[in-house]
Amino acid sequence: MSDTTHEQLANVVHELPSIVECKLCQDNNHGPTSYNGSVHSPLAVIGEGPGGVEDEYGVPLIGPSGQLLDKALWSVGVTRDKIYTSNIIKCRPKGNRTPTVDEGQFCANAWLDQELALVKPKIIIALGSVALKYLLAPTARITKDRGKWFSTKYGIPAIATYHPAYLLRLVGKDLVKAKWEVFYDFTAAVDKCKELAPDSGLKSEIIPDLLELYASRKNSRLDKA
Ligand code: URA
């Protein structure tokens, strides 16, 4: 099962860019940034789309937002290597703008849906508005809907929380409040995950150095460019 999931995901990653005609994909010199982490994890964290660092490495959520995500996960006893991380869109839009709802739908219908069908996590955490709008509804609002459980079209329960990039823009009391809210949301997700998958560990004792680990992914991207 483990090798099969890896292989099937590798096929998706390999084949999709050539069969799906996507403007974001065509505009992107580096190629899509796919998934990262454990394909057998009960916990999937879904972000928005790659930023500059992710685009360079081809690995989701490893730039400033990803590093803050790591700290938030650590605070609830989770390390990145034990979870599955991916994004709604796989190519960074020109100028690093926020992807539209339609772009999110197009990319995630083609790609994320296949990933989640293969990985079958027990719980999904939606990071920020773009992920929430895809996983719940285009009318959903992160300020109103974060911290509440909802059911996804995959039949997998999900909870949304603020995107780390939003936290990075906050200061003072707003930042303190938002950090606590993220902590409560992550705690709720981890508790439910442990309830649904009591035997799966979510924490490695040594935090992996992702940039080191993915240097080869970066180099293979540079070779292709
Ligand atoms: N990097 C990602 O991979 N996803 C985000 O949502 C933001 C930055």
Side-chain angles (χ1 to χ4, degrees):
M1 145 89 175
S2 59
D3 289 338
T4 314
T5 311
H6 271 296
E7 277 164 25
Q8 288 174 324
L9 272 170
N11 286 340
V12 172
V13 170
H14 183 70
E15 282 168 15
L16 261 181
S18 57
I19 52 176
V20 174
E21 281 194 19
C22 171
K23 179 86 179 72
L24 292 182
C25 204
Q26 284 157 5
D27 283 353
N28 180 359
N29 295 331
H30 285 127
T33 290
S34 59
Y35 66 92
N36 184 35
S38 166
V39 299
H40 306 297
S41 181
L43 181 57
V45 175
I46 307 301
E48 175 183 312
V53 179
E54 291 80 10
D55 209 20
E56 195 183 331
Y57 279 78
V59 182
L61 289 154
I62 56 167
S65 289
Q67 287 163 25
L68 185 54
L69 170 68
D70 285 349
K71 287 186 192 161
L73 289 168
W74 184 254
S75 75
V76 293
V78 176
T79 53
R80 276 290 288 281
D81 55 322
K82 295 287 186 186
I83 63 168
Y84 184 85
T85 41
S86 195
N87 279 313
I88 296 293
I89 61 157
K90 308 301 196 224
C91 294
R92 186 171 182 237
K94 271 191 178 159
N96 205 24
R97 65 172 170 77
T98 303
T100 64
V101 168
D102 285 351
E103 286 168 339
Q105 297 273 358
F106 184 83
C107 187
N109 274 335
W111 193 310
L112 183 71
D113 287 4
Q114 293 202 52
E115 294 174 71
L116 294 178
L118 290 168
V119 175
K120 300 187 187 70
K122 300 276 187 232
I123 295 291
I124 299 173
I125 298 178
L127 286 184
S129 176
V130 171
L132 173 69
K133 282 176 188 288
Y134 182 72
L135 293 167
L136 175 55
T139 51
R141 304 285 300 273
I142 193 73
T143 41
K144 180 168 68 69
D145 296 311
R146 67 137 281 279
K148 299 175 191 164
W149 286 103
F150 59 93
S151 183
T152 58
K153 64 176 172 179
Y154 318 108
I156 301 169
I159 191 167
T161 197
Y162 295 125
H163 195 286
Y166 170 69
L167 263 63
L168 288 170
R169 294 195 294 271
L170 294 178
V171 289
K173 283 186 186 158
D174 291 342
L175 175 60
V176 174
K177 181 169 178 286
K179 273 189 175 173
W180 276 110
E181 285 169 335
V182 170
F183 175 76
Y184 294 135
D185 299 340
F186 275 23
T187 301
V190 169
D191 286 351
K192 205 179 198 52
C193 215
K194 287 184 177 161
E195 189 187 310
L196 297 177
D199 297 331
S200 45
L202 290 172
K203 184 178 183 184
S204 289
E205 285 319 309
I206 299 168
I207 311 178
D209 180 345
L210 287 177
L211 293 184
E212 169 74 27
L213 199 60
Y214 287 100
S216 63
R217 235 155 114 170
K218 177 182 175 184
N219 289 338
S220 68
R221 239 164 145 70
L222 290 176
D223 290 346
K224 276 190 232 150

